[in-house]
Amino acid sequence: MGVVAGIERHQKLAQIEQLRSKVRRLEQKPGIGAELATHEALGGVVQLRAGGTYAVDSLSLAMLMLAGPSGVGEWTAVVGVDDFGAEAAAETGVSLERTILVPRPQDFWLEATAALVDVTTVVLVRPTGRVSPGVAEKIGARLRTRGAALVALGEWPRADVRLRATEPHWVGLGNGAGHLRARRMTVEAARGTAPPRRTALWFPAEGGALRPAGDQRGLESVVDLRKQESA
């Protein structure tokens, strides 16, 4: 009996320490405009900032936006994305242990998003229906107050940066008897009226990794496959 009680006490102490750790992280959240960790693959294209809003057009790109902060120990949240693939997210670099999932908030997506902005660093949301400028401004004010960032899958009024994946090209099928091996894509980021910034990625690259298109490590077989497909 004493052993059981000791184990329960240890578990409760561990839970208390986890809560204390979360509170300490919340107290240390960055101020408005502070730089947040951004995945190296997006370097030179976009810089995540506290209080910022980002609209993306693909789930894989949204996962990449989460991966930067998540990879350095920040908590993230995903609201309204019922097709969020845990395995794909983990391969991108998202820590599932520090990710809160609300896959089907229905008509309460706004309330869920607002609540999670308070306790996480980055929230990914797929809104239900059209988002009005007034709602976007309320969320924006909360983001600035809490030092968090929001990534919207789809349209978001007055987003600070809009990102889209363009020119996707899969290789590996050959004449139809092969297997998909890698995808080359261009990520384009537009901020206001400034000319968009672009970078090309292998996402995924050969072997499931993610690399800039200029990085040729391990891509010899992909090049060979593209030659075969064009033959």
Side-chain angles (χ1 to χ4, degrees):
M1 188 70 179
V3 174
V4 174
I7 293 174
E8 291 178 347
R9 180 174 181 274
H10 177 75
Q11 291 175 336
K12 289 180 179 179
L13 289 174
Q15 291 173 348
I16 291 173
E17 181 55 34
Q18 288 178 351
L19 290 173
R20 287 175 175 170
S21 178
K22 289 181 182 179
V23 170
R24 286 195 293 269
R25 278 194 291 269
L26 290 176
E27 292 174 343
Q28 297 170 359
K29 290 185 76 170
I32 300 173
E35 292 186 355
L36 302 176
T38 306
H39 196 288
E40 61 181 359
L42 297 175
V45 176
V46 64
Q47 171 63 58
L48 276 169
R49 294 184 180 278
T53 53
Y54 305 83
V56 301
D57 70 347
S58 73
L59 182 52
S60 58
L61 187 53
M63 290 181 180
L64 193 57
M65 295 287 282
L66 292 181
S70 182
V72 297
E74 300 289 353
W75 279 78
T76 61
V78 182
V79 180
V81 187
D82 56 0
D83 55 345
F84 186 82
E87 183 176 350
E91 289 180 353
T92 303
V94 177
S95 173
L96 301 178
E97 293 80 8
R98 294 187 297 274
T99 302
I100 302 170
L101 300 177
V102 186
R104 297 181 183 86
Q106 306 300 336
D107 294 333
F108 298 99
W109 71 268
L110 181 59
E111 291 83 353
T113 300
L116 289 167
V117 163
D118 292 349
V119 296
T120 63
T121 301
V122 183
V123 177
L124 165 62
V125 59
R126 178 188 280 155
T128 302
R130 179 180 173 275
V131 180
S132 69
V135 166
E137 179 52 38
K138 288 181 180 179
I139 291 293
R142 201 177 192 103
L143 291 168
R144 293 188 290 272
T145 300
R146 303 300 184 183
L150 181 135
V151 177
L153 188 54
E155 285 298 316
W156 189 264
R158 301 169 188 162
D160 295 312
V161 182
R162 299 181 184 279
L163 297 100
R164 63 190 189 112
T166 65
E167 303 172 355
H169 180 80
W170 284 95
V171 295
L173 282 178
N175 293 323
H179 300 280
L180 294 175
R181 301 284 291 276
R183 177 181 64 177
R184 190 182 190 279
M185 59 185 279
T186 298
V187 177
E188 180 179 284
R191 185 183 187 95
T193 58
R197 296 181 176 182
R198 298 181 179 88
T199 189
L201 305 174
W202 286 105
F203 186 24
E206 177 80 353
L210 185 156
R211 282 196 289 272
D215 186 341
Q216 298 300 315
R217 292 174 299 162
L219 295 179
E220 293 82 1
S221 59
V222 173
V223 174
D224 290 341
L225 285 166
R226 295 187 72 175
K227 290 180 179 178
Q228 293 173 16
E229 290 177 352
S230 62

